[in-house]
Amino acid sequence: TGAISSLQRQLEIQESQLRRTTSEKETLQRKLRERETQLQAMSTKFCSLRDERKHEEMMATLEKENCSLRQLITEQESQLAEQSKLISDLQGTVRQLKAEALASHNHIQKQQQAQEAMQRQAERLQEQELQSRVALERITSRLERFRSKVVQAVLSRAGSRAPQAELPDEEVLEAMQRLLSEQLELQQLLKHKG
């Protein structure tokens, strides 16, 4: 955004300079037309003079003014050519700045789209994490209920005593295996005895 703002400021400066140069060019062209009009008016005035002496004096004055005007026209045409070149250069710079601004805008748009995609993916991952936490809590709860049932089954045997502290999972598993083995032996013994 800062790059686009900078480019837009440069663009505005270049366009302002272009307008100023165009205005100066139009002013020079207007002056040139005025000088040509003056020259034409003086030539017309010369034609209307009847007195020979005044005619010669006017002729000398006209010649001087004509030379002066021609020199001024030459200078103004030179300035006009320089202004035209400057206008052409400024137009090229303006086109380049517009292209850079457009490229920067496109780049920023792509970055925003990528950021939005990452945001959506992060939201999906957060939702999946929440679902996983809920599922883990459900499984943990079921495991605790199963463990409690196993402990109750082990402790419900005749001759069992309540543990002094919380039993580790390995001891609960061993006790469960012993209980199953004993029940299996008891069933086999009962089968043998009829």
Side-chain angles (χ1 to χ4, degrees), residues 81-96:
E82 289 177 4
Q83 296 292 340
S84 296
K85 185 179 182 304
L86 181 58
I87 287 171
S88 176
D89 292 343
L90 288 174
Q91 286 173 339
T93 305
V94 166
R95 282 193 297 271
Q96 182 181 354

Side-chain angles (χ1 to χ4, degrees), residues 38-53:
Q38 289 176 0
L39 186 61
Q40 185 66 36
M42 292 185 81
S43 296
T44 306
K45 189 176 180 182
F46 163 75
C47 291
S48 66
L49 292 174
R50 301 189 184 270
D51 185 57
E52 187 65 31
R53 183 177 170 193

